[in-house]
Amino acid sequence: MRTILVTGGAGFIGSHLAEAVVAAGDRVVAVDDLSTGSYRNVAHLSDGPAFELVVASVDDGATLEALIHGADIVYHLAAAVGVKLIVDDPVHTIETNIRGTEVVLRLANKWRRPVVIASTSEVYGKSDRVPYSEEHDMVLGPTTHSRWAYAASKAIDEFLAVAYHRRDGLPVVIVRLFNTVGPRQTGRYGMVIPTFVRQALRGESITVYGDGSQSRAFTYVGDAVRALLDLPTHREAFGEVFNIGGGREITIMDLAELVKERTGSSSQIVTVPYDEAYAPGFEDMHRRVPDISKLRRITGFEPKVDLEEIIDRVAEHARQNPDFL
Ligand code: UDP
């Protein structure tokens, strides 16, 4: 039985990863400060002997050292996430994302543990070269616009991971997660699908930001987890960056209509100017679609759960657990 350390293990993606690892017969130690993660995400795992939750911050080096030393592989998912949270509290975002990754990489390097670093499609910024491929330039806005703090902090994490690999041969894989969705994701930090589903189920207005012509491709969390588990089993993945995503591209207006239709909701769809939704001067990316050919080449990855099914699963979970949204 292997021990898998998951930072951010009580978060949305972390808890799904933990579930998959336990189901495969391995053991998970999750470390989470329960800031955006939550005990209830992992309550169903906590009864068994194969799961342990350690409540600590990832920049707590002493705690992390013992946990990394005791692990066979480390998944570093702990981060400040959600565009709304990032815009509201950029100091927290920058400090959490940079310090946490510094600690994890330094200790994984010291104890020679393979590590997967979760980055984000945000690092492509507002590049209009669609689909986004790992070798493309980052196109970020000015440092006076808080949104870009997230991308810049994650880019530093990536640089550091690549640098450890090149200098010391640290077995590290960097993954850029695209819009990853599914049950247990909360809409509290601005994510669009849980927000739309909540609004639709409650009969509230569905709030499309901007004119709704911006588009995304959404990936089911279970599909993303498969890629996360598969990648570090391939030696050629070490020192490399991979997009994890897929699914069909859809505009946010069409998404609002689809959520309304799948939930049988009578909600109105309304548009909200970006300045009101986030902050004055907020810049959104118009299209965000991943090129997953690199991931596919190494792992044979294909997303399996389509958008209709994703919405149905999110809505079903929300109906059964209304407090999650
Ligand atoms: N969005 C929206 N209404 C909401 C929340 C989000 O129209 O209530 C839009 C948001 O402006 C963006 C897209 O949905 O264009 C995806 O937002 P999310 O925060 O889920 O992820 P992002 O792709 O921005 O990281």
Side-chain angles (χ1 to χ4, degrees):
M1 190 191 256
R2 296 181 313 155
T3 296
I4 317 288
L5 180 66
V6 183
T7 76
F12 162 56
I13 299 175
S15 67
H16 281 276
L17 176 65
E19 215 170 81
V21 168
V22 170
D26 285 322
R27 180 171 168 265
V28 171
V29 176
V31 52
D32 202 300
D33 67 359
L34 302 182
S35 53
T36 54
S38 154
Y39 178 72
R40 65 189 179 171
N41 284 340
V42 290
H44 61 299
L45 294 171
S46 300
D47 300 337
F51 180 85
E52 182 190 345
L53 173 65
V54 177
V55 179
S57 163
V58 270
D59 60 10
D60 173 354
T63 302
L64 259 284
E65 177 139 25
L67 297 177
I68 289 175
H69 182 243
D72 294 290
I73 180 168
V74 181
Y75 282 87
H76 178 46
L77 306 183
V81 290
V83 174
K84 212 171 192 74
L85 182 71
I86 282 143
V87 171
D88 288 348
D89 196 351
V91 171
H92 171 75
T93 301
I94 297 163
E95 291 188 348
T96 307
N97 292 356
I98 294 182
R99 277 192 203 148
T101 307
E102 243 174 57
V103 169
V104 168
L105 284 171
R106 181 171 48 77
L107 295 171
N109 193 49
K110 178 173 172 188
W111 295 105
R112 311 306 296 164
R113 295 294 185 263
V115 52
V116 176
I117 298 287
S119 183
T120 165
S121 55
E122 279 276 323
V123 298
Y124 293 105
K126 48 188 172 174
S127 167
D128 52 14
R129 271 183 81 185
V130 177
Y132 292 162
S133 168
E134 291 86 350
E135 295 308 312
H136 285 179
D137 288 345
M138 301 184 286
V139 184
L140 304 187
T143 50
T144 45
H145 288 198
S146 301
R147 172 178 198 145
W148 306 116
Y150 182 44
S153 65
K154 284 295 192 175
I156 287 290
D157 293 349
E158 293 195 15
F159 278 124
L160 191 59
V162 171
Y164 269 113
H165 175 77
R166 294 199 177 147
R167 192 188 68 182
D168 300 330
L170 177 69
V172 58
V173 183
I174 298 147
V175 296
R176 292 180 179 162
L177 293 159
F178 282 65
N179 297 71
T180 305
V181 290
R184 298 205 288 267
Q185 185 176 39
T186 167
R188 221 171 301 149
Y189 310 107
M191 277 79 164
V192 68
I193 287 194
T195 302
F196 283 3
V197 168
R198 180 188 65 222
Q199 292 165 336
L201 292 181
R202 293 185 183 163
E204 296 166 356
S205 298
I206 298 178
T207 52
V208 170
Y209 298 162
D211 64 3
S213 65
Q214 72 273 30
S215 65
R216 299 290 187 270
F218 295 92
T219 308
Y220 187 64
V221 63
D223 285 329
V225 161
R226 238 180 328 108
L228 285 171
L229 289 172
D230 207 359
L231 270 170
T233 68
H234 300 270
R235 291 190 68 79
E236 61 270 44
F238 292 135
E240 296 287 327
V241 179
F242 294 88
N243 290 336
I244 296 184
R248 73 170 192 268
E249 180 178 7
I250 185 169
T251 68
I252 298 303
M253 184 57 83
D254 287 347
L255 176 70
E257 269 152 21
L258 187 61
V259 168
K260 188 174 150 149
E261 179 198 310
R262 300 299 296 186
T263 54
S265 168
S266 54
S267 288
Q268 270 190 299
I269 296 172
V270 298
T271 56
V272 179
Y274 282 119
D275 284 7
E276 262 173 54
Y278 296 107
F282 181 84
E283 298 175 85
D284 200 7
M285 43 282 292
H286 196 62
R287 289 179 71 195
R288 175 191 279 161
V289 182
D291 174 350
I292 56 166
S293 51
K294 188 174 175 187
L295 174 65
R296 198 182 278 136
R297 196 168 61 246
I298 301 235
T299 67
F301 176 80
E302 282 306 329
K304 287 185 182 154
V305 182
D306 69 14
L307 187 55
E308 283 75 8
E309 181 69 27
I310 291 173
I311 293 168
D312 292 353
R313 289 190 194 185
V314 171
E316 178 58 22
H317 180 265
R319 283 193 186 96
Q320 312 224 337
N321 308 273
D323 53 318
F324 255 93
L325 293 174

Short mmCIF file of all heavy atoms in Angstrom, two decimals, residues 163-217:
data_model
loop_
_atom_site.label_atom_id
_atom_site.label_comp_id
_atom_site.label_asym_id
_atom_site.label_seq_id
_atom_site.Cartn_x
_atom_site.Cartn_y
_atom_site.Cartn_z
N ALA A 163 12.97 24.41 -12.38
CA ALA A 163 14.35 24.67 -11.97
C ALA A 163 14.89 23.55 -11.07
O ALA A 163 16.03 23.11 -11.22
CB ALA A 163 14.43 26.02 -11.25
N TYR A 164 14.08 23.05 -10.15
CA TYR A 164 14.49 21.91 -9.30
C TYR A 164 14.75 20.67 -10.15
O TYR A 164 15.68 19.91 -9.91
CB TYR A 164 13.41 21.59 -8.26
CG TYR A 164 13.58 22.31 -6.94
CD1 TYR A 164 12.67 23.27 -6.52
CD2 TYR A 164 14.66 22.02 -6.10
CE1 TYR A 164 12.81 23.91 -5.30
CE2 TYR A 164 14.82 22.66 -4.87
CZ TYR A 164 13.88 23.61 -4.48
OH TYR A 164 14.03 24.25 -3.28
N HIS A 165 13.88 20.45 -11.12
CA HIS A 165 14.07 19.29 -11.99
C HIS A 165 15.39 19.39 -12.73
O HIS A 165 16.17 18.43 -12.79
CB HIS A 165 12.91 19.17 -12.98
CG HIS A 165 13.10 18.06 -13.96
ND1 HIS A 165 12.89 16.73 -13.63
CD2 HIS A 165 13.53 18.06 -15.24
CE1 HIS A 165 13.16 15.98 -14.68
NE2 HIS A 165 13.56 16.75 -15.66
N ARG A 166 15.66 20.57 -13.28
CA ARG A 166 16.88 20.72 -14.09
C ARG A 166 18.14 20.70 -13.25
O ARG A 166 19.15 20.14 -13.66
CB ARG A 166 16.80 22.03 -14.89
CG ARG A 166 15.67 21.92 -15.91
CD ARG A 166 15.78 22.93 -17.01
NE ARG A 166 14.69 22.69 -17.95
CZ ARG A 166 14.08 23.62 -18.64
NH1 ARG A 166 14.45 24.89 -18.53
NH2 ARG A 166 13.10 23.30 -19.46
N ARG A 167 18.06 21.32 -12.05
CA ARG A 167 19.27 21.39 -11.23
C ARG A 167 19.54 20.07 -10.52
O ARG A 167 20.67 19.59 -10.49
CB ARG A 167 19.15 22.53 -10.21
CG ARG A 167 20.48 22.85 -9.54
CD ARG A 167 20.34 23.83 -8.41
NE ARG A 167 19.62 23.26 -7.27
CZ ARG A 167 19.33 23.92 -6.16
NH1 ARG A 167 19.70 25.18 -6.03
NH2 ARG A 167 18.67 23.33 -5.18
N ASP A 168 18.48 19.48 -9.92
CA ASP A 168 18.69 18.34 -9.03
C ASP A 168 18.01 17.06 -9.51
O ASP A 168 18.04 16.05 -8.82
CB ASP A 168 18.14 18.67 -7.63
CG ASP A 168 18.84 19.90 -7.03
OD1 ASP A 168 20.02 20.13 -7.36
OD2 ASP A 168 18.19 20.62 -6.25
N GLY A 169 17.34 17.12 -10.65
CA GLY A 169 16.66 15.92 -11.13
C GLY A 169 15.41 15.57 -10.35
O GLY A 169 14.97 14.42 -10.36
N LEU A 170 14.81 16.56 -9.64
CA LEU A 170 13.58 16.27 -8.90
C LEU A 170 12.51 15.74 -9.86
O LEU A 170 12.22 16.36 -10.88
CB LEU A 170 13.06 17.56 -8.22
CG LEU A 170 11.73 17.40 -7.46
CD1 LEU A 170 11.90 16.53 -6.22
CD2 LEU A 170 11.14 18.75 -7.08
N PRO A 171 11.91 14.57 -9.54
CA PRO A 171 10.84 14.06 -10.40
C PRO A 171 9.55 14.85 -10.17
O PRO A 171 8.79 14.54 -9.26
CB PRO A 171 10.70 12.59 -10.00
CG PRO A 171 11.41 12.42 -8.71
CD PRO A 171 12.25 13.64 -8.45
N VAL A 172 9.33 15.86 -10.96
CA VAL A 172 8.17 16.72 -10.76
C VAL A 172 7.39 16.84 -12.07
O VAL A 172 7.96 16.93 -13.15
CB VAL A 172 8.61 18.12 -10.24
CG1 VAL A 172 9.59 18.81 -11.18
CG2 VAL A 172 7.41 19.03 -9.99
N VAL A 173 6.07 16.78 -11.94
CA VAL A 173 5.17 17.00 -13.09
C VAL A 173 4.34 18.24 -12.78
O VAL A 173 3.81 18.37 -11.68
CB VAL A 173 4.21 15.81 -13.31
CG1 VAL A 173 3.36 16.04 -14.56
CG2 VAL A 173 4.97 14.50 -13.41
N ILE A 174 4.23 19.14 -13.76
CA ILE A 174 3.42 20.35 -13.57
C ILE A 174 2.16 20.21 -14.42
O ILE A 174 2.25 19.89 -15.61
CB ILE A 174 4.22 21.59 -14.03
CG1 ILE A 174 5.48 21.73 -13.15
CG2 ILE A 174 3.36 22.84 -13.96
CD1 ILE A 174 6.64 22.29 -13.88
N VAL A 175 1.03 20.43 -13.80
CA VAL A 175 -0.23 20.32 -14.55
C VAL A 175 -0.99 21.63 -14.52
O VAL A 175 -1.08 22.27 -13.48
CB VAL A 175 -1.12 19.18 -14.01
CG1 VAL A 175 -0.44 17.84 -14.22
CG2 VAL A 175 -1.50 19.37 -12.56
N ARG A 176 -1.49 22.02 -15.66
CA ARG A 176 -2.33 23.22 -15.74
C ARG A 176 -3.78 22.76 -15.85
O ARG A 176 -4.20 22.26 -16.90
CB ARG A 176 -1.95 24.06 -16.95
CG ARG A 176 -0.57 24.68 -16.79
CD ARG A 176 -0.19 25.52 -17.98
NE ARG A 176 1.13 26.10 -17.77
CZ ARG A 176 1.89 26.60 -18.73
NH1 ARG A 176 1.47 26.59 -19.99
NH2 ARG A 176 3.07 27.10 -18.44
N LEU A 177 -4.51 22.91 -14.77
CA LEU A 177 -5.90 22.48 -14.76
C LEU A 177 -6.77 23.55 -15.40
O LEU A 177 -6.68 24.73 -15.05
CB LEU A 177 -6.33 22.22 -13.31
CG LEU A 177 -5.62 21.01 -12.67
CD1 LEU A 177 -5.66 21.09 -11.15
CD2 LEU A 177 -6.24 19.71 -13.15
N PHE A 178 -7.57 23.12 -16.35
CA PHE A 178 -8.57 24.01 -16.96
C PHE A 178 -9.87 23.87 -16.17
O PHE A 178 -9.96 23.04 -15.28
CB PHE A 178 -8.75 23.66 -18.44
CG PHE A 178 -7.64 24.21 -19.30
CD1 PHE A 178 -6.34 23.75 -19.15
CD2 PHE A 178 -7.89 25.21 -20.21
CE1 PHE A 178 -5.31 24.27 -19.92
CE2 PHE A 178 -6.86 25.74 -20.99
CZ PHE A 178 -5.57 25.27 -20.84
N ASN A 179 -10.87 24.67 -16.51
CA ASN A 179 -12.12 24.70 -15.75
C ASN A 179 -12.60 23.30 -15.37
O ASN A 179 -13.20 22.60 -16.18
CB ASN A 179 -13.18 25.47 -16.54
CG ASN A 179 -12.78 26.92 -16.76
OD1 ASN A 179 -11.87 27.21 -17.53
ND2 ASN A 179 -13.43 27.83 -16.07
N THR A 180 -12.31 22.90 -14.15
CA THR A 180 -12.60 21.56 -13.65
C THR A 180 -13.83 21.64 -12.76
O THR A 180 -13.88 22.49 -11.87
CB THR A 180 -11.39 21.03 -12.86
OG1 THR A 180 -10.24 21.12 -13.69
CG2 THR A 180 -11.59 19.60 -12.41
N VAL A 181 -14.81 20.80 -13.03
CA VAL A 181 -16.10 20.95 -12.36
C VAL A 181 -16.68 19.61 -11.94
O VAL A 181 -16.29 18.56 -12.46
CB VAL A 181 -17.11 21.69 -13.28
CG1 VAL A 181 -16.73 23.13 -13.45
CG2 VAL A 181 -17.22 21.01 -14.62
N GLY A 182 -17.62 19.66 -11.02
CA GLY A 182 -18.28 18.43 -10.57
C GLY A 182 -18.89 18.64 -9.20
O GLY A 182 -18.81 19.73 -8.64
N PRO A 183 -19.48 17.59 -8.65
CA PRO A 183 -20.09 17.69 -7.33
C PRO A 183 -19.08 18.15 -6.29
O PRO A 183 -17.89 17.80 -6.38
CB PRO A 183 -20.54 16.25 -7.03
CG PRO A 183 -20.66 15.60 -8.36
CD PRO A 183 -19.66 16.25 -9.24
N ARG A 184 -19.54 18.86 -5.30
CA ARG A 184 -18.77 19.39 -4.15
C ARG A 184 -18.04 20.68 -4.46
O ARG A 184 -17.50 21.30 -3.55
CB ARG A 184 -17.76 18.38 -3.59
CG ARG A 184 -18.39 17.11 -3.05
CD ARG A 184 -17.49 16.46 -2.01
NE ARG A 184 -16.31 15.85 -2.58
CZ ARG A 184 -16.24 14.57 -2.94
NH1 ARG A 184 -17.27 13.78 -2.78
NH2 ARG A 184 -15.12 14.07 -3.43
N GLN A 185 -17.99 21.10 -5.73
CA GLN A 185 -17.39 22.42 -5.99
C GLN A 185 -18.38 23.46 -5.48
O GLN A 185 -19.57 23.38 -5.76
CB GLN A 185 -17.15 22.63 -7.48
CG GLN A 185 -16.42 23.92 -7.78
CD GLN A 185 -16.11 24.06 -9.27
OE1 GLN A 185 -16.93 23.71 -10.11
NE2 GLN A 185 -14.94 24.55 -9.58
N THR A 186 -17.87 24.44 -4.75
CA THR A 186 -18.77 25.45 -4.23
C THR A 186 -18.77 26.67 -5.15
O THR A 186 -17.77 26.96 -5.81
CB THR A 186 -18.38 25.86 -2.78
OG1 THR A 186 -19.08 27.04 -2.45
CG2 THR A 186 -16.90 26.10 -2.63
N GLY A 187 -19.90 27.37 -5.18
CA GLY A 187 -19.98 28.59 -5.97
C GLY A 187 -19.53 29.80 -5.18
O GLY A 187 -19.52 30.92 -5.68
N ARG A 188 -19.11 29.57 -3.94
CA ARG A 188 -18.80 30.68 -3.05
C ARG A 188 -17.64 31.54 -3.56
O ARG A 188 -17.53 32.70 -3.23
CB ARG A 188 -18.46 30.13 -1.66
CG ARG A 188 -19.05 30.94 -0.55
CD ARG A 188 -18.86 30.24 0.78
NE ARG A 188 -19.48 28.93 0.81
CZ ARG A 188 -19.01 27.89 1.53
NH1 ARG A 188 -17.92 28.01 2.23
NH2 ARG A 188 -19.65 26.74 1.52
N TYR A 189 -16.75 30.96 -4.32
CA TYR A 189 -15.59 31.73 -4.79
C TYR A 189 -15.73 32.09 -6.26
O TYR A 189 -14.75 32.36 -6.94
CB TYR A 189 -14.30 30.95 -4.50
CG TYR A 189 -14.28 30.50 -3.07
CD1 TYR A 189 -14.48 29.18 -2.72
CD2 TYR A 189 -14.17 31.45 -2.04
CE1 TYR A 189 -14.55 28.79 -1.39
CE2 TYR A 189 -14.24 31.07 -0.71
CZ TYR A 189 -14.42 29.74 -0.39
OH TYR A 189 -14.50 29.38 0.92
N GLY A 190 -16.96 32.07 -6.75
CA GLY A 190 -17.24 32.63 -8.06
C GLY A 190 -17.36 31.62 -9.18
O GLY A 190 -17.72 31.99 -10.29
N MET A 191 -17.08 30.34 -8.95
CA MET A 191 -17.07 29.39 -10.07
C MET A 191 -18.45 29.29 -10.71
O MET A 191 -19.48 29.25 -10.04
CB MET A 191 -16.63 28.00 -9.63
CG MET A 191 -15.13 27.87 -9.57
SD MET A 191 -14.51 28.61 -8.10
CE MET A 191 -12.87 27.92 -8.01
N VAL A 192 -18.43 29.23 -12.03
CA VAL A 192 -19.67 29.48 -12.76
C VAL A 192 -20.69 28.34 -12.68
O VAL A 192 -21.88 28.59 -12.50
CB VAL A 192 -19.37 29.88 -14.22
CG1 VAL A 192 -18.78 28.74 -15.03
CG2 VAL A 192 -20.59 30.43 -14.90
N ILE A 193 -20.26 27.09 -12.81
CA ILE A 193 -21.27 26.01 -12.86
C ILE A 193 -22.01 25.84 -11.53
O ILE A 193 -23.24 25.85 -11.52
CB ILE A 193 -20.68 24.70 -13.43
CG1 ILE A 193 -20.47 24.91 -14.94
CG2 ILE A 193 -21.59 23.50 -13.14
CD1 ILE A 193 -20.23 23.69 -15.77
N PRO A 194 -21.30 25.75 -10.40
CA PRO A 194 -22.08 25.66 -9.15
C PRO A 194 -22.96 26.90 -8.90
O PRO A 194 -24.05 26.79 -8.35
CB PRO A 194 -21.02 25.51 -8.06
CG PRO A 194 -19.72 25.81 -8.69
CD PRO A 194 -19.86 25.61 -10.16
N THR A 195 -22.48 28.06 -9.36
CA THR A 195 -23.29 29.28 -9.19
C THR A 195 -24.56 29.19 -10.02
O THR A 195 -25.67 29.43 -9.51
CB THR A 195 -22.46 30.52 -9.60
OG1 THR A 195 -21.28 30.56 -8.81
CG2 THR A 195 -23.26 31.80 -9.40
N PHE A 196 -24.42 28.84 -11.29
CA PHE A 196 -25.61 28.75 -12.16
C PHE A 196 -26.58 27.67 -11.66
O PHE A 196 -27.79 27.86 -11.68
CB PHE A 196 -25.20 28.46 -13.61
CG PHE A 196 -24.65 29.64 -14.38
CD1 PHE A 196 -24.48 30.88 -13.77
CD2 PHE A 196 -24.32 29.52 -15.73
CE1 PHE A 196 -23.99 31.97 -14.48
CE2 PHE A 196 -23.82 30.61 -16.46
CZ PHE A 196 -23.65 31.83 -15.83
N VAL A 197 -26.04 26.55 -11.24
CA VAL A 197 -26.91 25.46 -10.77
C VAL A 197 -27.66 25.90 -9.51
O VAL A 197 -28.86 25.68 -9.39
CB VAL A 197 -26.09 24.16 -10.52
CG1 VAL A 197 -26.91 23.13 -9.76
CG2 VAL A 197 -25.63 23.58 -11.86
N ARG A 198 -26.96 26.55 -8.60
CA ARG A 198 -27.62 27.04 -7.38
C ARG A 198 -28.76 28.00 -7.75
O ARG A 198 -29.88 27.90 -7.27
CB ARG A 198 -26.61 27.75 -6.47
CG ARG A 198 -27.26 28.27 -5.17
CD ARG A 198 -26.30 29.15 -4.37
NE ARG A 198 -25.98 30.37 -5.10
CZ ARG A 198 -24.77 30.91 -5.18
NH1 ARG A 198 -23.75 30.36 -4.59
NH2 ARG A 198 -24.58 32.02 -5.87
N GLN A 199 -28.42 28.97 -8.63
CA GLN A 199 -29.42 29.96 -9.02
C GLN A 199 -30.62 29.29 -9.70
O GLN A 199 -31.77 29.60 -9.39
CB GLN A 199 -28.79 31.00 -9.95
CG GLN A 199 -27.76 31.87 -9.22
CD GLN A 199 -26.85 32.67 -10.16
OE1 GLN A 199 -26.65 32.30 -11.32
NE2 GLN A 199 -26.28 33.76 -9.64
N ALA A 200 -30.32 28.33 -10.58
CA ALA A 200 -31.41 27.65 -11.31
C ALA A 200 -32.29 26.85 -10.36
O ALA A 200 -33.52 26.89 -10.46
CB ALA A 200 -30.81 26.73 -12.37
N LEU A 201 -31.67 26.16 -9.40
CA LEU A 201 -32.47 25.32 -8.48
C LEU A 201 -33.32 26.18 -7.54
O LEU A 201 -34.39 25.78 -7.12
CB LEU A 201 -31.57 24.39 -7.67
CG LEU A 201 -30.87 23.29 -8.46
CD1 LEU A 201 -30.03 22.42 -7.54
CD2 LEU A 201 -31.86 22.42 -9.24
N ARG A 202 -32.82 27.38 -7.23
CA ARG A 202 -33.58 28.25 -6.31
C ARG A 202 -34.53 29.19 -7.03
O ARG A 202 -35.18 30.02 -6.39
CB ARG A 202 -32.60 29.08 -5.46
CG ARG A 202 -31.80 28.21 -4.52
CD ARG A 202 -30.93 29.06 -3.62
NE ARG A 202 -30.10 28.22 -2.76
CZ ARG A 202 -29.04 28.65 -2.10
NH1 ARG A 202 -28.67 29.91 -2.19
NH2 ARG A 202 -28.34 27.83 -1.35
N GLY A 203 -34.52 29.13 -8.36
CA GLY A 203 -35.39 30.02 -9.12
C GLY A 203 -34.92 31.47 -9.10
O GLY A 203 -35.67 32.40 -9.42
N GLU A 204 -33.64 31.68 -8.76
CA GLU A 204 -33.07 33.04 -8.77
C GLU A 204 -32.56 33.36 -10.17
O GLU A 204 -32.35 32.46 -10.98
CB GLU A 204 -31.89 33.12 -7.79
CG GLU A 204 -32.29 32.89 -6.34
CD GLU A 204 -31.08 32.63 -5.43
OE1 GLU A 204 -29.94 32.56 -5.95
OE2 GLU A 204 -31.30 32.47 -4.22
N SER A 205 -32.29 34.65 -10.43
CA SER A 205 -31.75 35.03 -11.74
C SER A 205 -30.39 34.37 -11.96
O SER A 205 -29.56 34.34 -11.05
CB SER A 205 -31.58 36.54 -11.84
OG SER A 205 -32.83 37.15 -11.71
N ILE A 206 -30.17 33.88 -13.16
CA ILE A 206 -28.87 33.31 -13.52
C ILE A 206 -28.01 34.45 -14.04
O ILE A 206 -28.36 35.11 -15.03
CB ILE A 206 -29.03 32.19 -14.57
CG1 ILE A 206 -29.90 31.05 -13.98
CG2 ILE A 206 -27.68 31.67 -15.04
CD1 ILE A 206 -30.19 29.90 -14.93
N THR A 207 -26.88 34.70 -13.36
CA THR A 207 -26.09 35.91 -13.61
C THR A 207 -24.96 35.64 -14.60
O THR A 207 -23.92 35.10 -14.23
CB THR A 207 -25.49 36.42 -12.29
OG1 THR A 207 -24.80 35.32 -11.65
CG2 THR A 207 -26.57 36.93 -11.34
N VAL A 208 -25.16 36.06 -15.83
CA VAL A 208 -24.11 35.93 -16.85
C VAL A 208 -23.29 37.22 -16.83
O VAL A 208 -23.84 38.31 -17.00
CB VAL A 208 -24.76 35.74 -18.24
CG1 VAL A 208 -23.72 35.85 -19.34
CG2 VAL A 208 -25.47 34.40 -18.31
N TYR A 209 -21.99 37.09 -16.59
CA TYR A 209 -21.13 38.28 -16.53
C TYR A 209 -20.72 38.71 -17.94
O TYR A 209 -20.45 37.86 -18.80
CB TYR A 209 -19.88 38.01 -15.68
CG TYR A 209 -20.17 37.69 -14.22
CD1 TYR A 209 -19.21 37.07 -13.43
CD2 TYR A 209 -21.40 38.00 -13.63
CE1 TYR A 209 -19.45 36.77 -12.10
CE2 TYR A 209 -21.65 37.70 -12.30
CZ TYR A 209 -20.67 37.08 -11.54
OH TYR A 209 -20.91 36.78 -10.22
N GLY A 210 -20.62 40.03 -18.13
CA GLY A 210 -20.30 40.54 -19.47
C GLY A 210 -21.49 40.27 -20.38
O GLY A 210 -22.64 40.22 -19.93
N ASP A 211 -21.20 40.03 -21.66
CA ASP A 211 -22.34 39.77 -22.58
C ASP A 211 -22.56 38.27 -22.79
O ASP A 211 -23.45 37.87 -23.54
CB ASP A 211 -22.12 40.48 -23.93
CG ASP A 211 -20.91 39.95 -24.68
OD1 ASP A 211 -20.27 38.99 -24.20
OD2 ASP A 211 -20.59 40.49 -25.76
N GLY A 212 -21.75 37.45 -22.12
CA GLY A 212 -21.95 35.99 -22.20
C GLY A 212 -21.33 35.36 -23.44
O GLY A 212 -21.50 34.17 -23.68
N SER A 213 -20.59 36.15 -24.23
CA SER A 213 -19.98 35.56 -25.44
C SER A 213 -18.64 34.90 -25.12
O SER A 213 -18.07 34.21 -25.97
CB SER A 213 -19.81 36.63 -26.53
OG SER A 213 -18.88 37.60 -26.09
N GLN A 214 -18.12 35.11 -23.91
CA GLN A 214 -16.87 34.44 -23.54
C GLN A 214 -17.13 32.94 -23.43
O GLN A 214 -18.24 32.53 -23.07
CB GLN A 214 -16.30 35.01 -22.22
CG GLN A 214 -17.04 34.66 -20.94
CD GLN A 214 -18.19 35.59 -20.60
OE1 GLN A 214 -18.82 36.15 -21.48
NE2 GLN A 214 -18.47 35.76 -19.32
N SER A 215 -16.09 32.15 -23.73
CA SER A 215 -16.32 30.70 -23.75
C SER A 215 -15.28 29.95 -22.92
O SER A 215 -14.18 30.44 -22.67
CB SER A 215 -16.31 30.19 -25.19
OG SER A 215 -15.02 30.37 -25.73
N ARG A 216 -15.66 28.77 -22.51
CA ARG A 216 -14.80 27.87 -21.73
C ARG A 216 -15.07 26.44 -22.19
O ARG A 216 -16.10 26.16 -22.80
CB ARG A 216 -15.14 27.95 -20.22
CG ARG A 216 -14.95 29.33 -19.58
CD ARG A 216 -13.50 29.72 -19.47
NE ARG A 216 -13.29 30.95 -18.71
CZ ARG A 216 -13.26 32.17 -19.25
NH1 ARG A 216 -13.46 32.33 -20.54
NH2 ARG A 216 -13.03 33.23 -18.50
N ALA A 217 -14.15 25.53 -21.83
CA ALA A 217 -14.38 24.09 -22.01
C ALA A 217 -14.29 23.50 -20.60
O ALA A 217 -13.31 23.72 -19.90
CB ALA A 217 -13.31 23.50 -22.91
#
